[in-house]
Amino acid sequence: MGAFVRDGRPDDAADVLRVRTETWKTAYRGLLPQDYLDDLRVEPRAVEVWRGRLSCGAGRLVIGEAAGEVAGFGLFGPARDEGLTGGEIYAIYVLSAHWSTGLGLALMERSVARLREMGHTEAGLWVLEGNARARAFYERFGFTPSGRVKDVEGLPFPVSEVHYRLSLAGTGA
């Protein structure tokens, strides 16, 4: 694969936002309005906000590097939604040039292992309802739909995401 996964640092914030922005433009084409995707940019203020969040521990970060660059990341921590317990995978993003290389799987394995190390016996995640590629990836990993659905907050248009769960008890990733 020629890639490796390491723990993230606050100084990775700009690369994380770059990967997230580029991935959104590719992975969400046809799922979100194209003009919205076309306007996505990494703003210096956002980099500082993310650097601050990562410095104070608001989510744990793992970085996937390939060919000498940050090519993906995973972000995880305690479940954030009311009524949900355990850990949560907040994000797994990989640049499209590195899809189907094993980098996403390596990021997911490391994120799930870290949630287990944190004492969680269950992990959840939210995914855009229409994102068939991501849903298939999560299902291959062992996540199953929980039946929860919600509207994504913070977007200027309605879009739904579905919730998935994975038992971490007795598994070894």
Side-chain angles (χ1 to χ4, degrees):
M1 169 171 75
F4 70 96
V5 175
R6 64 170 172 82
D7 289 336
R9 304 176 297 267
D11 287 345
D12 290 315
D15 284 324
V16 165
L17 289 174
R18 176 186 54 81
V19 168
R20 186 183 74 161
T21 299
E22 290 179 28
T23 303
W24 274 49
K25 289 182 177 201
T26 304
Y28 297 159
R29 187 175 293 125
L31 299 175
L32 301 181
Q34 191 60 46
D35 60 336
Y36 176 81
L37 295 173
D38 291 343
D39 288 343
L40 290 176
R41 306 271 183 275
V42 176
E43 301 292 339
R45 169 119 173 82
V47 172
E48 291 309 311
V49 167
W50 270 70
R51 189 172 286 129
R53 286 181 183 160
L54 294 171
S55 294
C56 73
R60 306 280 177 89
L61 178 67
V62 289
I63 296 292
E65 293 186 354
E69 74 165 346
V70 173
F73 72 93
L75 188 65
F76 56 92
R80 300 172 290 183
D81 290 277
E82 187 175 323
L84 294 178
T85 59
E88 181 178 344
I89 303 294
Y90 305 145
I92 296 280
Y93 289 115
V94 174
L95 295 173
S96 62
H98 300 279
W99 287 354
S100 300
T101 65
L103 183 57
L105 178 60
L107 288 164
M108 181 62 82
E109 287 173 342
R110 179 74 61 93
S111 298
V112 165
R114 289 289 159 69
L115 286 172
R116 188 178 295 105
E117 291 168 7
M118 294 166 66
H120 297 293
T121 58
E122 189 168 76
L125 61 81
W126 292 95
V127 58
L128 288 184
E129 192 169 29
N131 191 343
R133 180 184 182 87
R135 291 179 73 169
F137 171 77
Y138 299 138
E139 289 170 9
R140 280 192 308 273
F141 195 84
F143 282 87
T144 57
S146 72
R148 289 178 174 257
V149 179
K150 70 176 183 179
D151 289 330
V152 177
E153 294 179 18
L155 294 178
F157 43 80
V159 63
S160 295
E161 50 188 2
V162 295
H163 187 256
Y164 278 74
R165 299 297 290 169
L166 174 71
S167 173
L168 303 181
T171 61

